[in-house]
Amino acid sequence: MSRQAVQTFGQIADALQTSKGSISSVLKTLVTMRWVDKVSKPGDRKDYASIRPGIPPELTRRQSGMYTDLTNMTARARTNRRPEWC
């Protein structure tokens, strides 16, 4: 998202140059995955979104693990070893 802790769907759509409908659909998925919280403010009818604390480092850790797995598979292929799952 951005440096703002909480943003409206419109702010996110503007920042990403996409439609509010697209953002709404993706945010529903991210809320279901518990990566984003949907937030409301008293007296304001707009929906807001906020990345849950701890999510960016967790996603980085997962991505790093995927690269490690890919590197290991490539190394095995280069040495013509059969992977354990074959």
Side-chain angles (χ1 to χ4, degrees):
M1 291 180 31
S2 83
R3 293 174 192 225
Q4 293 181 7
V6 178
Q7 293 186 326
T8 66
F9 288 13
Q11 289 171 319
I12 297 168
D14 288 346
L16 298 175
Q17 299 180 352
T18 190
S19 71
K20 289 180 187 176
S22 294
I23 295 301
S24 178
S25 176
V26 169
L27 286 177
K28 284 179 188 177
T29 300
L30 294 175
V31 167
T32 300
M33 296 172 72
R34 301 178 49 87
W35 291 1
V36 170
D37 288 324
K38 191 173 174 183
V39 181
S40 60
K41 294 182 179 182
D44 192 343
R45 296 179 59 206
K46 294 178 183 175
D47 288 325
Y48 293 83
S50 176
I51 297 173
R52 294 185 68 149
I55 292 300
E58 174 62 18
L59 294 177
T60 300
R61 185 189 63 75
R62 288 183 189 181
Q63 191 70 36
S64 177
M66 291 169 59
Y67 288 126
T68 299
D69 293 345
L70 180 60
T71 300
N72 292 339
M73 286 190 303
T74 303
R76 281 195 303 268
R78 291 181 71 191
T79 60
N80 293 322
R81 284 185 39 200
R82 291 184 78 182
E84 294 120 21
W85 46 268
C86 282

